[in-house]
Amino acid sequence: MFVYRRAVRFAEVDAARLVFFSRYVEYCHDAMEALFAALPGGYEDFTMRRDLGLPTVRLEIEYRAPLRYGDVARLETDVLRVGRTSITLRHRIWRDADDALVTVVEQVVVVTRLSTLVPQPVPDDVRGLFDAHLVPEGAARS
Amino acid sequence: MFVYRRAVRFAEVDAARLVFFSRYVEYCHDAMEALFAALPGGYEDFTMRRDLGLPTVRLEIEYRAPLRYGDVARLETDVLRVGRTSITLRHRIWRDADDALVTVVEQVVVVTRLSTLVPQPVPDDVRGLFDAHLVPEGAARS
Amino acid sequence: MFVYRRAVRFAEVDAARLVFFSRYVEYCHDAMEALFAALPGGYEDFTMRRDLGLPTVRLEIEYRAPLRYGDVARLETDVLRVGRTSITLRHRIWRDADDALVTVVEQVVVVTRLSTLVPQPVPDDVRGLFDAHLVPEGAARS
Amino acid sequence: MFVYRRAVRFAEVDAARLVFFSRYVEYCHDAMEALFAALPGGYEDFTMRRDLGLPTVRLEIEYRAPLRYGDVARLETDVLRVGRTSITLRHRIWRDADDALVTVVEQVVVVTRLSTLVPQPVPDDVRGLFDAHLVPEGAARS
């Protein structure tokens, strides 16, 4: 499990004073960029120098509780599956202060050559990166 | 079916020069705000004066094709179900120039009192608004 | 004077329920993209096909009054000067309902080749576009 | 001088693959939120519990060099003046890897009661916070 924390920013709430629902998608991308920091050059090198990326092909999001300005989001990211070209992630977003479960995001990404948008086999170093956070199937659903 | 068009903006793409995947969630909210314009005072009145809102409790998104700067997104919004407190929407986002299917979003929202976050029965005027775009069950899945 | 209207969106306010101060900069860019619609292919063609852009080199912004969700922003854009490579714009942003002056933005942009970031002479068609909204010096300051 | 670093995020660039010009305004707000972390409860407590805020009344921005995805922005924030109700800040944004000066932002904020939008005297603890980063007048302009 990869853990990533970030405070809600002043501009991330909406007119109802709750974190706007699209922001959680951005938070998940931030967590993935942070997870990639374990590779030399990070996600920047992966995308800008190796011409690879991880476009999302599927998202499922359950919204359970709100976040407000003043809250800290704690993202816990598990890897559910590493396939030939795709990776399935599950991000649970918690309100850090009281451990309320805010959002559960299941995300499927595909390794893709950015200049052609053609799927590619998961490179070994990236496979290693995600394998380190792989959870057993049963645990994934609990 | 409610149809809403918007051009991709210069700042809405990411470092891969594709519309960033969280933006489609914003586009769906824009479409819903536009759909509400048929009610007097629109979504602004609904949220700011009546203290009601439509927080999303569930999203399922399939990403099929990219959008780039220069493209126009055409959102076709259908209502799949109007329940006691919840409404299920399906947004299909098309690339307007060549009718490529970009993204399919299924979204469940719940009528909620904003000051208390307690679910509320769908008000009659809002029910009428969504009923006008209701599709038969079979059609919804085709 | 080029006039452009847009409603404040639900996600554009901040935790103080006022339009976040960086949003006005986005509004000005939206107005400029709209102004370019008078050229064939618009700003999309200018940037993506002709490899030109209008990076901003200077901004001065006075904030006079707030906008909230439910307000419509009316942008009035004047051209103060068209130089060899640079263009000076002044955007006045009004709250459309009561004509309160919200923000005054003075912006200097430079025609630039995007692939090299080298300044370029203002092309004739772009000069024509901006000349159409040029105001006399004295009027600009009144 | 208060120093704050942040990596450019994947979604913060525009169709020209440069950090979009409004983003620097967000970066400055992030730096100010970070600076406030020295007060108990931070900017969250200041705004949400004490009903105070620091709306910007004036911004002057010079853009000197671009940032791209893969760059780290280093913000150096100096306080130029603490008045009765207003505070003048200067943020210099550097590209961290090669110390290129990217942007210089001069910002005037006013202590304001958020519920009424009436200016307030700078509270003692906030004055202390900003006084700690005050630069002598001459130095400010060098």
Side-chain angles (χ1 to χ4, degrees):
Chain A
M1 191 170 73
F2 179 77
V3 179
Y4 172 76
R5 276 181 183 80
R6 77 193 303 296
V8 171
R9 289 209 193 75
F10 197 69
E12 290 178 343
V13 302
D14 59 25
R17 279 189 152 159
L18 309 175
V19 168
F20 190 62
F21 73 134
S22 76
R23 296 288 186 179
Y24 297 106
V25 179
E26 300 175 27
Y27 288 15
C28 291
H29 200 271
D30 289 349
M32 203 186 65
E33 290 190 58
L35 189 154
F36 256 81
L39 280 195
Y43 197 66
E44 295 87 341
D45 192 80
F46 182 66
T47 52
M48 298 293 106
R49 290 198 179 73
R50 292 168 70 180
D51 187 32
L52 294 171
L54 294 174
T56 296
V57 295
R58 183 165 180 82
L59 271 184
E60 281 186 47
I61 312 180
E62 282 174 66
Y63 296 89
R64 305 269 191 96
L67 284 180
R68 293 179 172 83
Y69 184 58
D71 290 330
V72 170
R74 184 177 80 247
L75 283 87
E76 297 179 350
T77 300
D78 287 309
V79 178
L80 303 190
R81 184 174 171 276
V82 181
R84 202 182 69 85
T85 62
S86 75
I87 298 154
T88 304
L89 305 168
R90 184 194 51 199
H91 313 272
R92 283 174 298 184
I93 305 180
W94 305 84
R95 197 162 53 209
D96 201 37
D98 67 354
D99 285 324
L101 183 55
V102 170
T103 314
V104 181
V105 180
E106 205 168 302
Q107 178 184 21
V108 183
V109 298
V110 170
V111 178
T112 303
R113 186 151 305 285
L114 290 181
S115 54
T116 61
L117 296 186
V118 174
Q120 305 289 316
V122 179
D124 285 348
D125 57 345
V126 174
R127 185 174 295 273
L129 185 71
F130 285 107
D131 276 351
H133 302 290
L134 200 57
V135 294
E137 281 290 326
R141 289 294 163 187
S142 69
Chain B
M1 191 171 67
F2 179 77
V3 179
Y4 171 76
R5 276 180 181 79
R6 79 194 303 293
V8 171
R9 289 209 193 75
F10 197 69
E12 290 178 341
V13 301
D14 59 25
R17 279 187 152 159
L18 309 174
V19 168
F20 190 62
F21 72 133
S22 75
R23 296 288 187 180
Y24 297 106
V25 179
E26 300 174 28
Y27 288 14
C28 291
H29 200 271
D30 290 349
M32 203 186 65
E33 290 189 58
L35 188 154
F36 257 80
L39 280 195
Y43 198 64
E44 296 85 343
D45 191 80
F46 183 65
T47 53
M48 298 293 106
R49 290 202 180 70
R50 292 167 70 179
D51 187 32
L52 295 171
L54 293 175
T56 297
V57 295
R58 184 165 180 81
L59 270 185
E60 280 186 48
I61 312 180
E62 281 174 67
Y63 296 90
R64 306 270 189 97
L67 284 180
R68 294 180 171 82
Y69 184 58
D71 289 332
V72 170
R74 185 178 79 246
L75 283 88
E76 297 180 350
T77 300
D78 287 308
V79 177
L80 303 191
R81 185 174 171 274
V82 182
R84 202 183 69 86
T85 63
S86 75
I87 299 153
T88 304
L89 305 168
R90 184 194 51 198
H91 312 273
R92 283 174 298 184
I93 305 179
W94 306 83
R95 198 163 51 210
D96 202 37
D98 66 354
D99 284 325
L101 183 57
V102 170
T103 314
V104 181
V105 180
E106 204 167 304
Q107 177 184 21
V108 183
V109 298
V110 171
V111 177
T112 302
R113 186 150 306 282
L114 289 182
S115 55
T116 62
L117 297 187
V118 174
Q120 305 289 318
V122 179
D124 285 347
D125 57 346
V126 174
R127 185 175 295 273
L129 186 70
F130 285 107
D131 276 350
H133 302 289
L134 200 58
V135 293
E137 280 291 324
R141 288 295 162 184
S142 67
Chain C
M1 191 172 70
F2 179 77
V3 179
Y4 172 77
R5 276 179 182 79
R6 79 195 299 298
V8 170
R9 289 210 192 75
F10 197 68
E12 290 178 341
V13 301
D14 60 25
R17 279 188 151 159
L18 309 175
V19 168
F20 190 61
F21 73 134
S22 75
R23 296 288 187 180
Y24 297 105
V25 179
E26 301 175 27
Y27 288 15
C28 292
H29 200 272
D30 290 349
M32 204 186 64
E33 291 189 58
L35 188 153
F36 257 80
L39 279 196
Y43 198 65
E44 296 85 344
D45 192 79
F46 182 66
T47 53
M48 299 293 107
R49 291 199 180 71
R50 292 167 70 180
D51 187 32
L52 294 171
L54 293 175
T56 297
V57 295
R58 183 164 181 82
L59 271 184
E60 282 186 46
I61 312 180
E62 281 173 66
Y63 296 90
R64 305 270 190 95
L67 285 179
R68 294 180 172 81
Y69 184 58
D71 289 331
V72 170
R74 184 177 80 247
L75 282 86
E76 298 179 350
T77 300
D78 287 308
V79 178
L80 302 191
R81 187 176 170 273
V82 181
R84 202 183 69 85
T85 63
S86 74
I87 299 153
T88 303
L89 305 167
R90 184 194 51 198
H91 312 273
R92 283 174 298 184
I93 305 180
W94 306 84
R95 198 163 53 209
D96 202 36
D98 67 353
D99 285 325
L101 182 57
V102 170
T103 315
V104 181
V105 181
E106 202 167 304
Q107 178 184 21
V108 183
V109 299
V110 171
V111 178
T112 302
R113 185 152 307 282
L114 289 181
S115 55
T116 61
L117 298 186
V118 174
Q120 304 289 317
V122 179
D124 284 348
D125 58 345
V126 174
R127 186 176 294 273
L129 186 70
F130 285 107
D131 276 351
H133 302 289
L134 199 58
V135 293
E137 280 291 324
R141 289 295 162 187
S142 68
Chain D
M1 191 171 71
F2 179 77
V3 179
Y4 172 77
R5 276 181 182 77
R6 76 192 306 294
V8 171
R9 291 210 190 75
F10 197 68
E12 289 177 344
V13 301
D14 58 26
R17 279 188 153 159
L18 308 176
V19 168
F20 190 63
F21 74 133
S22 76
R23 296 287 187 180
Y24 297 106
V25 179
E26 300 175 26
Y27 287 15
C28 291
H29 201 271
D30 290 348
M32 203 185 67
E33 290 189 59
L35 188 154
F36 257 81
L39 280 195
Y43 197 65
E44 296 86 342
D45 192 80
F46 182 65
T47 52
M48 298 293 106
R49 289 200 181 73
R50 292 167 70 180
D51 186 32
L52 294 171
L54 293 175
T56 296
V57 295
R58 182 166 181 81
L59 271 183
E60 281 186 47
I61 313 181
E62 283 174 66
Y63 297 89
R64 305 268 191 98
L67 283 179
R68 293 180 171 83
Y69 184 57
D71 289 331
V72 170
R74 185 176 80 246
L75 283 87
E76 297 180 350
T77 300
D78 287 307
V79 178
L80 303 190
R81 186 174 170 273
V82 181
R84 203 182 70 86
T85 63
S86 74
I87 299 153
T88 305
L89 305 167
R90 183 194 52 199
H91 312 272
R92 283 173 298 182
I93 305 181
W94 306 85
R95 197 161 55 208
D96 201 37
D98 67 353
D99 285 325
L101 183 56
V102 169
T103 315
V104 181
V105 180
E106 205 168 304
Q107 177 183 23
V108 183
V109 298
V110 170
V111 178
T112 302
R113 186 151 305 284
L114 289 181
S115 54
T116 61
L117 297 187
V118 174
Q120 304 289 316
V122 180
D124 285 347
D125 57 345
V126 173
R127 185 173 295 272
L129 186 71
F130 284 107
D131 276 350
H133 302 288
L134 200 57
V135 293
E137 280 291 325
R141 287 294 162 185
S142 69

